[in-house]
Amino acid sequence: MGERVAGVVDITASASPGVKGADDGPGRLDHLAQLCRTANFARRHLETTVLYDANLTWTSYDVLHLAVMHRPVDTGVVAVLAHVSKGSVTRSAAALIKRGLLRRSIPATDRRRSLLAPTPAGWALNQQLRAQLIAELNTLLDAQPSANRHDIAVLRHLITTHQQ
């Protein structure tokens, strides 16, 4: 994300959502594309700086985190909350179970369902990683914008704008 790509809209100059302007269609699409690129950049950065050492992807971390937050939680619910396929949840959960971070149970009332809950090791890892992810995200957002940090400046602006 080093150099600024030609044709990328400056988010500060584009119309805010819900405000009619001359460039509603293409401007909003460019705005959304930049938001997605920025989110992908942040996700990839957090995966390589924090989750890599724990041998997790963002999806596997999300499955673990959702199991900690909603324990026990149905795999279908995890898929909906994480916006991934149920197959992705199943693969991530299987790897986390194999590592002793999650456990799976099947309710007696509906044998088709599968519930996930963290083990003590999974809960502890989630707490550790969450603290590291927050610290790294704060480092990114507090960094001074420069030519190679444009995406973080956009992310900072979007978070600030959408929280108001």
Side-chain angles (χ1 to χ4, degrees):
M1 301 291 136
E3 295 181 37
R4 190 162 182 173
V5 179
V8 173
V9 70
D10 180 4
I11 192 114
T12 59
S14 64
S16 60
V19 176
K20 295 287 183 195
D23 197 19
D24 275 346
R28 284 187 173 187
L29 184 58
D30 290 345
H31 180 90
L32 177 63
Q34 184 63 36
L35 176 63
C36 292
R37 285 186 209 105
T38 303
N40 288 337
F41 170 80
R43 176 181 174 161
R44 186 173 52 250
H45 177 78
L46 294 173
E47 277 184 329
T48 58
T49 58
V50 177
L51 299 178
Y52 180 81
D53 290 338
N55 196 26
L56 294 175
T57 63
W58 186 264
T59 301
S60 59
Y61 166 75
D62 210 13
V63 169
L64 175 63
H65 179 68
L66 290 169
V68 167
M69 298 307 295
H70 301 280
R71 58 188 176 264
V73 63
D74 188 280
T75 54
V77 171
V78 172
V80 169
L81 292 173
H83 298 278
V84 297
S85 70
K86 194 162 180 231
S88 292
V89 172
T90 300
R91 284 186 297 278
S92 293
L96 293 167
I97 290 166
K98 189 175 183 177
R99 292 177 56 188
L101 300 172
L102 286 182
R103 65 178 170 271
R104 181 188 317 264
S105 63
I106 299 173
T109 56
D110 187 351
R111 309 283 302 159
R112 297 170 296 170
R113 294 179 56 218
S114 183
L115 301 176
L116 300 174
T119 63
W123 189 88
L125 180 62
N126 179 71
Q127 297 307 102
Q128 173 194 343
L129 291 174
R130 186 163 171 76
Q132 290 174 355
L133 288 166
I134 290 168
E136 186 61 30
L137 185 58
N138 285 334
T139 300
L140 280 173
L141 294 176
D142 293 341
Q144 293 299 321
S146 64
N148 63 347
R149 303 300 285 225
H150 174 71
D151 288 335
I152 295 306
V154 170
L155 179 61
R156 183 185 306 117
H157 175 75
L158 288 171
I159 290 171
T160 303
T161 300
H162 292 287
Q163 285 181 344
Q164 295 174 350

